[in-house]
Amino acid sequence: MPTIDGQRVVADLRRLAKFGHYKTGVHRPTYSPVDVESRQWLADRMREAGLDPVIDGIGNVIGRHPTAGRRLLVGSHSETQPYGGWLDGALGVIYGLELARAFAADRDCAGLGIEVAAWADEEGHYGSYLGSRSYIGALGEDEIDKITGRDTGKPLRAALAEAGFTGHPRELVEPGRHIGYLEAHIEQGDTLDASGLRIGVVETIVGIRNFRIGFTGEQNHAGTTRMARRKDAGVAMVRLATAIHDRFPEIAGPRTVWTIGRMLLEPNAPSVVPGHAEMQLQFRDADRAYLDACEERLLTLVADADRAGPCRIEIEPIARSEPRPMDPGFQALIEAAAEEKAPGLHMRMPSAAGHDAAILAERMPAGMMFIPSLGGVSHHWSEDTKEDDIILGAQVFAQAAHRILKSTQVKS
């Protein structure tokens, strides 16, 4: 049975967190200099673990096992949200690295190989799941040509060139190479932490739908424009946001969530009536029926507001993913490993966040495992997890990977 060095796992996580260290968290945007430096560090660690690493043309770091007959792909992402946490994504990558070491050191694991991936841009600085989508062949060159940075406006091609990845071939999944994909992650919610549980076995990863809503009014002087004749795009935006908040609960499911995370005003000046406004709305659920109901309600609210005036309102879908169930066999084996290492302290649960595992599941069996997030905090520099939970999670994860490699057959 592969043996995990828990203190080495924590030390590697602490070292990776130094790339872009911010307060108790990390600021490591995709393709930034610290992100590129961290990817090279990861490649070097994979090489030391006996893997053949490559950084491909989209920035994925993939460590390939040179000889194993049965391989399990393990990983997550390594960039962070702006001023985010030190474990979001990094945990799954370092768990994968530790598994590669542990399996290589155990004679009973001869012929069983762990391959490790640090996917690029799961966090969407340029486009969500760029790395994993590229790996499964779902990211075309024409799409790469069109993508610009979410916060910088920089073309993706320019970012790749500055990172030194231009000219590198993009790695593609090799049919039959892997028996599946396994990902570990902090929960990012408070279900485990509040329940006193230590391991989550992910059943389904939520679907996510994102929309951009634009409001066109009339820019004018804030002092001389009478209230009765104003076409204030900012007011129209706030009114629609309030309608969404009030009306979505009527059709939402028990786990449906929705967020207006971005609002813009033009020209955004205190003495000017805004002539244009924009907001972005996303909603999530593991049940497609609730996603469809929310989309239908949103389109109705937009149409009603546009018809009522005085501003014109347009809506545009910008991204969507469907709910993705994890492989039932993998769920059972993760659960069995959790019961062995943490009896009675685990549960099955959905993932309310999106993950690369949902993308890889389109091409191979996939599973996910959660460990607790203190207070349910994530996407913030104060994100944290108890060290004991990090180490226990690594042990359960290794046990689960061993069970999967021993019990499942290669699927072409």
Side-chain angles (χ1 to χ4, degrees):
M1 184 65 61
T3 302
I4 291 299
D5 183 335
Q7 293 304 316
R8 182 168 60 186
V9 171
V10 173
D12 281 344
L13 284 166
R14 298 287 184 193
R15 177 64 186 91
L16 182 55
K18 291 184 181 298
F19 295 99
H21 175 75
Y22 175 81
K23 295 187 177 181
T24 59
V26 182
H27 180 64
R28 193 164 60 233
T30 313
Y31 308 129
S32 63
V34 290
D35 178 54
V36 174
E37 188 180 0
S38 72
R39 291 178 189 277
Q40 186 57 60
W41 180 84
L42 285 168
D44 290 343
R45 301 292 79 73
M46 290 178 191
R47 184 176 293 105
E48 291 173 358
L51 303 177
D52 293 332
V54 61
I55 303 178
D56 78 354
I58 203 70
N60 291 328
V61 189
I62 300 175
R64 296 164 65 92
H65 195 290
T67 60
R70 296 165 61 76
R71 300 176 176 90
L72 180 66
L73 183 61
V74 179
S76 191
H77 62 94
S78 57
E79 78 286 332
T80 72
Q81 283 285 345
Y83 310 103
W86 69 294
L87 295 170
D88 179 2
L91 182 92
V93 175
I94 296 303
Y95 273 17
L97 177 63
E98 181 63 20
L99 260 61
R101 295 165 173 155
F103 272 71
D106 191 328
R107 291 182 180 179
D108 291 339
C109 294
L112 307 179
I114 299 294
E115 299 199 329
V116 185
W119 308 113
D121 208 29
E122 187 266 4
E123 296 289 16
H125 291 275
Y126 286 83
S128 295
Y129 315 112
L130 282 185
S132 52
R133 287 176 56 221
S134 174
Y135 187 68
I136 70 165
L139 180 68
E141 294 292 332
D142 56 341
E143 185 177 353
I144 293 175
D145 289 337
K146 297 173 184 176
I147 292 174
T148 58
R150 177 182 66 194
D151 301 313
T152 65
K154 180 183 294 184
L156 176 56
R157 290 289 187 194
L160 291 170
E162 291 174 11
F165 301 150
T166 299
H168 294 202
R170 288 194 283 142
E171 293 289 305
L172 288 172
V173 64
E174 181 183 324
R177 182 177 181 88
H178 303 109
I179 64 172
Y181 174 74
L182 199 59
E183 182 167 354
H185 211 278
I186 54 169
E187 181 197 344
Q188 302 183 279
D190 68 350
T191 301
L192 293 174
D193 189 47
S195 303
L197 301 177
R198 304 183 71 184
I199 300 293
V201 181
V202 176
E203 295 177 305
T204 304
I205 297 175
V206 294
I208 307 174
R209 299 188 187 179
N210 289 272
F211 293 86
R212 181 186 294 113
I213 307 170
F215 305 80
T216 302
E218 182 178 85
Q219 181 176 326
N220 214 328
H221 195 292
T224 62
T225 308
R226 289 180 292 111
M227 298 304 293
R229 67 168 297 255
R230 290 190 181 203
K231 297 180 179 180
D232 188 323
V235 170
M237 177 170 65
V238 172
R239 283 177 173 165
L240 181 60
T242 301
I244 291 168
H245 177 75
D246 291 343
R247 299 294 304 281
F248 265 37
E250 299 169 356
I251 46 83
R255 289 183 176 270
T256 308
V257 295
W258 55 93
T259 305
I260 297 171
R262 184 177 177 89
M263 284 183 154
L264 302 171
L265 290 176
E266 293 179 10
N268 200 29
S271 294
V272 180
V273 177
H276 183 77
E278 179 181 297
M279 69 183 188
Q280 291 187 20
L281 167 72
Q282 70 165 228
F283 45 90
R284 306 179 181 214
D285 202 284
D287 188 327
R288 182 172 180 172
Y290 287 121
L291 294 173
D292 290 342
C294 287
E295 183 167 345
E296 182 179 352
R297 177 60 55 91
L298 174 62
L299 295 177
T300 298
L301 292 173
V302 169
D304 290 347
D306 180 57
R307 188 164 45 250
C311 297
R312 297 301 310 276
I313 306 177
E314 297 178 324
I315 185 169
E316 173 192 8
I318 53 177
R320 64 192 298 132
S321 63
E322 298 304 321
R324 184 70 60 178
M326 296 290 95
D327 182 81
F330 280 23
Q331 290 180 48
L333 293 170
I334 297 169
E335 190 171 53
E339 180 61 20
E340 180 174 323
K341 296 291 186 180
L345 296 175
H346 53 87
M347 67 177 294
R348 293 199 180 201
M349 61 190 301
S351 170
H355 297 286
D356 290 301
I359 306 300
L360 273 296
E362 297 181 28
R363 297 296 299 274
M364 64 183 75
M368 277 202 79
M369 188 197 83
F370 284 162
I371 64 171
S373 295
L374 289 175
V377 175
S378 188
H379 285 189
H380 187 267
W381 53 263
S382 63
E383 163 196 288
D384 205 4
T385 294
K386 294 177 183 177
E387 186 171 304
D388 286 349
D389 284 335
I390 293 173
I391 295 172
L392 173 66
Q395 293 169 341
V396 173
F397 198 62
Q399 172 76 272
H402 186 258
R403 288 172 179 265
I404 289 169
L405 278 163
K406 283 288 191 180
S407 65
T408 54
Q409 298 298 317
V410 175
K411 297 183 179 182
S412 58

